[in-house]
């Protein structure tokens, strides 16, 4: 699979100077963490879940979470488990029967028709064991599990169950812990709790592609909820917690993990208090004014701003609860030609230091401080591609949404 693999090859060539690379469930864990992009959550109760997964894959989704936790009611867990077992088994059987031509190999569309990376969000450690023992062929389409409300107390049982599931299944299974418990937010316990979580997950580093943030639960601890006019970074309690999570888990010294951005809760028109946050100029004069109007109508201007702030604060990818959020996340994950040029110049220069003027003559590139940024940018460039000069997020967004810019 690859990002933008659902687009025709000719369209990709128009958009990209360097096209996104292929990856898959067996890729290195660091690669998968950076490649997750917009991870779409879906309740495990959906009767047409297998068809939904294929539909989302065909529209550009590369990672999904099938949720047995907060997305469903407590009384629905048993039925949701049974449905999930049926749907994953059906997916596995249909995959086994697909020919190379059906998978897009003859069409030249690498990744076309392939399933996304699939994770199950469980409620408890024993649910991992129970599901793994019953999945049978369905295990072949499963990438791993999402571990909710992960703390130093609850975490070891989850990770031990994951190890047991690997032995039972005979294949690699990955885990994405979700940091969302009150002790990770409360000032008097936060530092010690985050350090304790780090000690737990470091033992399983080769099974953890990313750490996820449960900002809705953080807000719930104080009875808060951000409006569509506000990003997570406008809620100071949440912003400070995100900063501390990045401080502990996002370091560039080799100890860091990919940390994904928080969920954006809105996808339909809301009553506005403030002006739209999306400037007109990038859309004007190219027939994209209607696209801007649609984004504003569905509160996507706030989402776009939050995605930009995610990346500025060291986060990559995002939890998504609606398919309309996927294209914005991916469009703003593509590396621009300017970013790529700066990163390449920095990495070409000896590590001894020095200052370079950007080839775009608009900034200073300082070799030592900017080297880690350049390395991360090149990893993102490999997985999300590098846009051509003259191609911007409006073009990428329109392509992801299946519209002309």
């Amino acid at each position: 699979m690859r990002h933008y693999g659902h687009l025709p090859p000719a369209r990709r060539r128009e958009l990209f100077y360097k096209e996104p690379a292929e990856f898959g469930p067996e890729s290195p864990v660091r690669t998968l963490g950076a490649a997750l992009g917009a991870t779409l959550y879906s309740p495990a109760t959906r009767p047409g879940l297998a068809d939904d997964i294929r539909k989302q894959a065909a529209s550009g989704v590369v990672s999904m979470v099938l949720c047995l936790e907060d997305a469903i009611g407590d009384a629905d867990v048993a039925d949701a488990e049974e449905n999930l077992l049926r749907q994953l088994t059906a997916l596995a059987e249909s995959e086994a029967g697909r020919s190379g031509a059906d998978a897009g190999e003859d069409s030249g569309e690498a990744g076309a028709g392939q399933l996304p990376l699939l994770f199950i969000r469980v409620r408890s450690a024993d649910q991992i064991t129970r599901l793994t023992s019953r999945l049978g062929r369905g295990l072949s389409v499963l990438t791993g599990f999402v571990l909710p409300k992960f703390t130093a107390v609850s975490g070891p049982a989850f990770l031990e169950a994951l190890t047991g599931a690997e032995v039972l299944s005979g294949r690699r299974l990955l885990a994405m812990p979700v940091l969302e418990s009150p002790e990770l937010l409360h000032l008097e316990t936060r530092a010690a709790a985050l350090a304790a979580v780090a000690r737990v997950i470091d033992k399983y580093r080769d099974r953890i592609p990313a750490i996820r943030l449960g900002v809705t639960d953080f807000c719930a601890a104080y009875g808060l909820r951000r409006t569509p006019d506000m990003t997570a970074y406008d809620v100071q309690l949440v912003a400070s917690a995100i900063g501390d999570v990045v401080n502990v888990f996002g370091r560039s010294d080799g100890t860091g993990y990919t940390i994904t951005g928080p969920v954006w809760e809105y996808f339909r028109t809301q009553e506005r208090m403030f002006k739209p946050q999306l400037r007109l100029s990038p859309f004007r004069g190219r027939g994209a004014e209607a696209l801007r109007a649609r984004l504003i109508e569905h509160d996507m201007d706030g989402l776009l701003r939050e995605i930009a702030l995610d990346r500025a604060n060291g986060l990559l990818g995002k939890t998504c609860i609606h398919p309309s959020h996927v294209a914005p996340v991916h469009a703003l994950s593509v590396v621009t030609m300017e970013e790529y040029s700066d990163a390449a110049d920095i990495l070409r220069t000896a590590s001894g230091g020095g200052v370079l003027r950007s080839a775009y003559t608009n900034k200073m590139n300082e070799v030592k401080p900017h080297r880690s940024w350049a390395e991360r940018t090149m990893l993102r460039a490999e997985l999300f591609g590098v846009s051509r000069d003259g191609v911007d997020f409006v073009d990428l967004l329109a392509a992801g949404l299946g519209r002309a810019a």
Side-chain angles (χ1 to χ4, degrees), residues 6-148:
H6 64 299
L7 297 182
R11 183 63 175 136
R12 289 201 303 269
R13 287 193 292 271
E14 290 174 357
L15 293 169
F16 292 99
Y17 166 79
K18 181 181 186 325
E19 289 191 26
E22 294 183 57
F23 60 92
E26 300 307 317
S27 296
V29 170
R30 180 171 179 264
T31 298
L32 290 182
L36 289 168
T39 300
L40 185 63
Y41 275 54
S42 179
T45 50
R46 291 180 65 88
L49 188 59
D51 290 337
D52 290 344
I53 290 168
R54 288 207 177 280
K55 177 182 176 182
Q56 298 307 328
S59 65
V61 173
V62 303
S63 63
M64 289 186 70
V65 172
L66 314 176
C67 188
L68 291 167
E69 205 228 0
D70 285 347
I72 65 172
D74 296 343
D76 297 325
V77 174
D79 288 342
E81 285 188 7
E82 293 302 320
N83 183 60
L84 187 57
L85 293 169
R86 286 194 302 271
Q87 301 290 338
L88 290 182
T89 299
L91 275 176
E93 290 175 351
S94 65
E95 281 295 290
R98 287 168 66 86
S99 67
D102 289 336
E105 293 176 7
D106 291 344
S107 69
E109 295 184 41
Q114 293 187 1
L115 296 180
L117 304 171
L118 295 177
F119 295 83
I120 299 174
R121 178 168 167 140
V122 293
R123 291 184 168 222
S124 61
D126 67 284
Q127 201 170 34
I128 294 176
T129 305
R130 186 166 66 250
L131 290 170
T132 306
S133 65
R134 298 185 60 201
L135 264 171
R137 293 183 70 175
L139 278 168
S140 65
V141 298
L142 184 66
T143 303
F145 297 89
V146 172
L147 314 179

Side-chain angles (χ1 to χ4, degrees), residues 146-224:
V146 172
L147 314 179
K149 299 171 178 59
F150 192 97
T151 67
V153 174
S154 67
F158 276 122
L159 294 170
E160 288 165 11
L162 180 80
T163 300
E166 283 194 316
V167 172
L168 186 63
S169 65
R171 60 191 302 270
R172 184 180 76 166
L173 293 170
L174 305 180
M176 292 196 287
V178 186
L179 305 186
E180 55 189 342
S181 300
E183 57 263 47
L184 303 177
L185 179 64
H186 294 160
L187 184 62
E188 67 274 18
T189 55
R190 185 187 304 173
L194 288 173
V197 168
R199 288 192 293 271
V200 171
I201 67 171
D202 278 351
K203 300 174 184 177
Y204 296 84
R205 174 175 293 276
D206 62 346
R207 292 296 183 268
I208 298 179
I211 294 170
R212 311 199 74 87
L213 285 165
V215 163
T216 301
D217 279 49
F218 280 168
C219 287
Y222 288 87
L224 305 175

Side-chain angles (χ1 to χ4, degrees), residues 364-403:
M364 171 192 74
N365 291 324
E366 195 166 351
V367 173
K368 283 185 178 180
H370 291 149
R371 184 168 290 271
S372 294
W373 168 86
E375 290 169 351
R376 289 188 178 189
T377 299
M378 284 305 194
L379 178 59
R380 185 160 54 90
E382 177 186 352
L383 296 168
F384 289 93
V386 179
S387 59
R388 290 188 178 277
D389 256 335
V391 171
D392 61 15
F393 85 94
V394 176
D395 301 295
L396 294 161
L397 182 56
L401 293 170
R403 298 182 178 87

